[in-house]
């Protein structure tokens, strides 16, 4: 409950509990009490003669928090000692709170030792990815996850994906399954292999799985860029009765409609079956007149009579030549379309109906979370994508390579119909061992001018989660900072910039922008944050506001800092967990 009657309790207990310590030394002075969170109640101030001590009042209450004491400064560095200190001037006492997480600090001895792994590449090779799935290495070759195609049935999430590298031939489609998004079971053999004989699907591209009566159809993109091919891309299909292997339907395909006036850019079918009409509805991405479009098709359940229904969405934000990996889904009364836009970000738009018209598109995540599609289990909806990587872990200039680790995030609809991403509940439950911080307390105030101010607070384990709360008063930047190689000018920083309205990942101590997401925050407000990292893959959440996928190479075994510049930031309820 909120601190009901606290003003009365404080007034009474302090009025009768002021202890005389000899003669008055000045005053009278005003003692005020600040509940120190944005919606706390206003408390009565007291008038006290100088040189007198205050009797400590009953502790106030706040839902979900533990009261830690009254402090003389907003930085929470100087606790007021009621039985000792005397009132010598007007003053304000600030309440310090810590979130009641109901756990104790533990110190397991099973941490992986990274002290001998001095290069980002050696650290990357040592990671045992679990939650951010990575296919098993093929000898010395590490394959990666590209363009997931999620499907859910009977408690199992089937994550089909384009496997890049290793034993995969030209992005053949492989499968991994999970029941909790924490651990995955990888199928060694492809469910659908690209054509080795130079057919239309000499490269397989993104698609989707849909159940039609007692069959499963895998609609996918057949790509062949050879000069003798009339169409560079066609929509193709394979069939299965078991979800683990598919057989191509020879001779079946859809080609771009003539009115598109191009034969090269036509892909990424996403399909939905309507048993009431016996129709498979399909969205396909393409370009028309150099404008990126999402097209609509229908196909009979027996795959006969593909019909072009027209354009349901045209890009109006950004200069994109294709809106890749589109998907549509419903939450409540609202329909959403999502897509990824080349080297940019994950976008979404809203509508009252599945096939539009859709409103203006908005960014949902940054450009390191790519090709994400939605999957739902009857209770929650998720976005399943891949986290972009660098060609070389030692690069401090970019994170631009195609394919990476699998990343899943929970979709949350806000009260005004906007979408934000949040950590998956089962993933957060997985981090159940609370670890000691590198600071004595669970709170820290970072006050900085034009130069960065850093404080070591957390440890970069192989797999961990960080949670906490913050409030700020200035317009400068703040956030998490990772030591890359012991040199300050190479720090990697997850940066909250209230003055720029951005959440960003920077390399080289803020000089090299890697990715960012628009945000809107207000000074003096309380915000909570969550950060989850496994190996070099991380996702930072300002809870209920924004998510940003990041790639942090070379930081394992080193301290993680909280930083600020041109700002005063109060961090509270800081926690770190490992699994």
């Amino acid at each position: 409950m909120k601190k009901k009657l606290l003003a009365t309790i404080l007034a009474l207990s302090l009025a009768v509990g002021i202890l005389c310590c000899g003669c008055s030394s000045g005053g009278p002075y005003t003692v005020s009490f600040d509940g120190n969170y944005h919606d706390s109640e206003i408390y009565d101030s007291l008038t006290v003669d100088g040189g007198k001590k205050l009797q400590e009042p009953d502790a106030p209450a706040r839902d979900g928090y533990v009261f830690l004491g009254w402090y003389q400064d907003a930085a929470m560095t100087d606790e007021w000692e009621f039985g000792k200190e005397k009132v010598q001037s007007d003053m304000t006492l600030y309440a310090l709170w810590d979130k009641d997480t109901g756990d104790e600090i533990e110190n397991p001895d099973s941490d992986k030792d990274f002290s001998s792994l001095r290069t980002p590449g050696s650290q990357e090779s040592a990671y045992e990815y679990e939650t951010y799935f990575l296919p098993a290495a093929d000898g010395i070759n590490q394959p990666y996850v590209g363009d997931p195609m999620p499907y859910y049935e009977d408690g199992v999430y089937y994550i089909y994906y384009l496997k890049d590298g290793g034993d995969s031939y030209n992005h053949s489609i492989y499968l991994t399954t999970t029941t909790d998004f924490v651990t995955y079971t990888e199928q060694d053999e492809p469910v659908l292999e690209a054509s080795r004989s130079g057919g239309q699907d000499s490269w397989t591209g993104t698609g989707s799985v849909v159940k039609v009566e007692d069959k499963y159809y895998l609609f996918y993109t057949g790509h062949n860029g050879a000069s003798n091919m009339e169409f560079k891309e066609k929509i193709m299909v394979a069939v299965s009765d078991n979800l683990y292997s598919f057989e191509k339907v020879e001779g079946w395909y859809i080609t771009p409609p003539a009115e598109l006036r191009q034969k090269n850019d036509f892909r990424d079918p996403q399909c939905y079956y309507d048993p009431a009409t016996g129709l498979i509805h399909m969205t396909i991405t393409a370009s028309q007149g150099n404008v990126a479009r999402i097209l609509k098709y229908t196909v009979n359940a027996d795959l006969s009579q593909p019909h072009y229904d027209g354009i349901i969405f045209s890009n109006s934000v950004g200069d994109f030549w294709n809106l890749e990996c589109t998907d549509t889904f419903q939450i409540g009364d609202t329909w959403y379309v999502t897509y990824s836009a080349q080297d940019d970000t994950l976008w979404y738009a809203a509508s009252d109906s599945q096939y539009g018209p859709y409103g203006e598109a908005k960014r949902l995540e940054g450009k390191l979370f790519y090709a994400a599609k939605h999957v739902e289990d009857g209770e929650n909806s998720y976005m399943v994508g891949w986290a972009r990587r660098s060609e070389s872990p030692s690069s401090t200039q970019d994170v631009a390579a195609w394919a990476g680790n699998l990343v899943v995030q929970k979709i949350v609809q806000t009260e005004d119909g906007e979408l934000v991403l949040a950590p998956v509940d089962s993933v957060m439950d997985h981090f159940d061992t609370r670890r000691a911080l590198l600071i004595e307390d669970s709170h820290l105030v970072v006050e900085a001018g034009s130069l960065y101010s850093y404080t070591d607070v957390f440890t970069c384990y192989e797999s961990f989660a960080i949670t906490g709360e913050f409030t700020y008063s200035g317009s400068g930047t703040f956030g998490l900072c990772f030591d890359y190689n012991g040199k300050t000018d190479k720090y990697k920083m997850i940066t909250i910039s209230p003055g720029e309205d951005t959440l960003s990942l920077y390399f080289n101590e803020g000089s090299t922008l890697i990715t960012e997401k628009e945000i809107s925050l207000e000074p003096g407000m309380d915000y909570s944050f969550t950060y989850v990292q496994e190996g070099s893959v991380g996702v930072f959440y300002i809870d209920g506001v924004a998510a940003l996928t990041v790639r942090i190479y070379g930081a394992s075994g080193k301290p993680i800092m909280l930083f600020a510049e041109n700002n005063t930031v109060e961090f509270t309820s800081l926690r770190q967990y490992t699994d």
Side-chain angles (χ1 to χ4, degrees):
M1 65 177 182
K2 289 186 176 180
K3 293 178 283 184
K4 302 298 185 182
L5 304 180
L6 180 57
T8 303
I9 294 172
L10 285 172
L12 290 175
S13 61
L14 290 173
V16 301
I18 295 175
L19 305 178
C20 181
C21 290
C23 297
S24 171
S25 59
Y29 298 115
T30 299
V31 179
S32 301
F33 296 87
D34 188 331
N36 201 28
Y37 62 103
H38 78 273
D39 60 349
S40 59
E41 297 176 6
I42 302 301
Y43 311 127
D44 291 342
S45 298
L46 298 175
T47 300
V48 182
D49 288 334
K52 294 187 177 182
K53 293 185 287 188
L54 302 177
Q55 180 176 317
E56 184 171 3
D58 293 338
R62 178 184 175 191
D63 279 348
Y65 291 81
V66 176
F67 174 69
L68 298 183
W70 293 103
Y71 283 72
Q72 301 179 60
D73 59 330
M76 303 297 172
T77 60
D78 191 4
E79 186 173 5
W80 179 264
E81 298 183 62
F82 283 91
K84 179 180 178 181
E85 298 186 82
K86 303 172 185 177
V87 177
Q88 302 290 354
S89 64
D90 293 339
M91 67 178 186
T92 298
L93 296 180
Y94 300 88
L96 176 61
W97 304 95
D98 192 49
K99 197 166 187 177
D100 186 6
T101 51
D103 46 29
E104 300 288 339
I105 293 174
E106 301 179 46
N107 295 288
D109 57 6
S110 57
D111 298 332
K112 184 178 288 185
D113 183 6
F114 285 94
S115 60
S116 64
L117 304 176
R118 300 184 179 276
T119 67
S122 63
Q123 290 188 7
E124 188 67 24
S125 298
Y127 295 142
E128 299 177 46
Y129 284 105
E130 184 178 47
T131 299
Y132 296 146
F133 167 77
L134 197 64
D138 179 25
I140 62 172
N141 298 312
Q142 176 61 64
Y144 297 97
V145 174
D147 295 9
M149 297 159 265
Y151 176 81
Y152 175 81
E153 185 172 284
D154 295 336
V156 179
Y157 303 93
Y158 297 81
I159 312 297
Y160 301 91
Y161 62 96
L162 304 182
K163 187 175 179 181
D164 183 43
D167 58 354
S168 173
Y169 180 73
N170 289 357
H171 292 171
S172 292
I173 299 176
Y174 282 71
L175 171 66
T176 187
T177 60
T178 182
T179 59
D180 57 9
F181 298 124
V182 175
T183 59
Y184 291 82
T185 301
E186 179 183 0
Q187 179 172 301
D188 293 334
E189 299 300 317
V191 299
L192 188 71
E193 189 172 50
S195 171
R196 293 178 179 267
S197 59
Q200 177 66 49
D201 57 345
S202 62
W203 289 79
T204 57
T206 314
S208 63
V209 171
V210 61
K211 187 174 184 180
V212 178
E213 299 173 354
D214 59 348
K215 297 178 181 178
Y216 301 96
Y217 289 130
L218 170 52
F219 291 88
Y220 66 101
T221 306
H223 177 97
N224 190 325
S227 59
N228 64 335
M229 303 298 291
E230 180 182 4
F231 295 95
K232 186 175 180 179
E233 292 178 334
K234 295 180 181 179
I235 305 305
M236 306 179 73
V237 70
V239 64
S240 173
D241 60 5
N242 59 35
L243 287 170
Y244 292 93
S245 63
F246 286 79
E247 182 178 349
K248 299 174 184 179
V249 179
E250 297 297 333
W252 193 96
Y253 55 83
I254 298 175
T255 55
E259 62 196 72
L260 238 59
R261 296 183 181 179
Q262 57 93 358
K263 300 180 178 181
N264 298 323
D265 180 29
F266 185 72
R267 60 180 181 272
D268 301 355
Q270 182 67 31
C271 300
Y272 317 88
Y273 178 59
D274 181 0
T277 61
L279 293 176
I280 302 168
H281 297 267
M282 182 185 309
T283 60
I284 298 172
T285 68
S287 178
Q288 183 183 38
N290 294 319
V291 176
R293 316 279 195 182
I294 301 176
L295 314 181
K296 168 73 164 53
Y297 275 77
T298 50
V299 181
N300 288 331
D302 62 2
L303 301 181
S304 65
Q305 298 181 319
H307 183 267
Y308 175 50
D309 300 325
I311 297 168
I312 67 166
F313 184 81
S314 296
N315 179 60
S316 61
V317 182
D319 183 19
F320 309 129
W321 52 270
N322 201 305
L323 310 179
E324 297 184 310
C325 304
T326 63
D327 195 3
T328 64
F329 54 89
Q330 186 178 27
I331 300 179
D333 296 328
T334 304
W335 283 92
Y336 299 92
V337 63
T338 59
Y339 59 87
S340 292
Q342 298 84 45
D343 298 326
D344 189 80
T345 61
L346 177 64
W347 295 74
Y348 78 96
S351 174
D352 293 330
S353 61
Q354 184 172 10
Y355 303 114
Y358 280 91
E360 190 83 352
K362 301 177 182 180
R363 285 184 172 91
L364 183 56
E365 235 264 31
K367 70 178 183 180
L368 302 196
F369 183 59
Y370 200 77
K373 287 191 174 187
H374 126 284
V375 67
E376 59 188 66
D377 55 17
E379 182 176 355
N380 293 305
S381 295
Y382 305 92
M383 293 301 291
V384 183
W386 51 265
R388 198 176 291 275
R389 60 189 170 87
S390 294
E391 291 287 1
S392 169
S394 63
S395 172
T396 58
Q397 299 303 311
D398 63 54
V399 180
W402 193 85
N405 296 69
L406 185 72
V407 172
V408 181
Q409 304 189 61
K410 184 178 177 180
I411 303 172
V412 176
Q413 184 187 55
T414 66
E415 291 183 358
D416 58 2
E418 303 292 318
L419 296 184
V420 295
L421 298 178
V424 176
D425 296 337
S426 55
V427 171
M428 292 307 297
D429 291 342
H430 181 59
F431 294 105
D432 56 4
T433 302
R434 182 178 169 187
R435 308 302 299 267
L437 305 180
L438 300 181
I439 55 176
E440 182 177 351
D441 300 310
S442 61
H443 63 277
L444 175 71
V445 173
V446 184
E447 186 173 5
S450 60
L451 299 178
Y452 287 112
S453 176
Y454 301 100
T455 302
D456 293 351
V457 178
F458 311 103
T459 300
C460 192
Y461 299 102
E462 180 179 22
S463 179
F464 63 92
I466 291 170
T467 62
E469 300 176 351
F470 67 83
T471 185
Y472 68 92
S473 58
S475 60
T477 66
F478 60 94
L480 291 177
C481 179
F482 300 79
D483 182 3
Y484 172 67
N485 61 358
K487 298 178 180 179
T488 303
D489 63 354
K490 296 300 181 185
Y491 281 169
K492 300 185 176 184
M493 308 168 78
I494 299 174
T495 301
I496 299 168
S497 304
E500 302 294 332
D501 290 332
T502 56
L503 170 63
S504 311
L505 172 65
Y506 280 96
F507 287 178
N508 305 319
E509 201 184 20
S511 64
T512 304
L513 176 63
I514 302 300
T515 181
E516 66 182 7
K517 168 71 174 70
E518 297 93 341
I519 58 173
S520 179
L521 305 179
E522 297 181 23
M525 295 290 289
D526 299 322
Y527 296 94
S528 60
F529 71 93
T530 302
Y531 179 64
V532 180
Q533 182 171 322
E534 182 181 50
S536 59
V537 181
V539 187
F540 186 88
Y541 302 92
I542 302 177
D543 299 329
V545 176
L548 186 72
T549 297
V550 301
R551 179 71 76 161
I552 308 291
Y553 291 111
S556 293
K558 301 181 179 71
I560 302 172
M561 295 158 271
L562 289 173
F563 78 91
E565 61 86 26
N566 283 324
N567 215 326
T568 297
V569 187
E570 180 184 358
F571 296 95
T572 55
S573 301
L574 297 171
R575 301 284 192 274
Q576 182 167 18
Y577 297 91
T578 55
D579 51 18

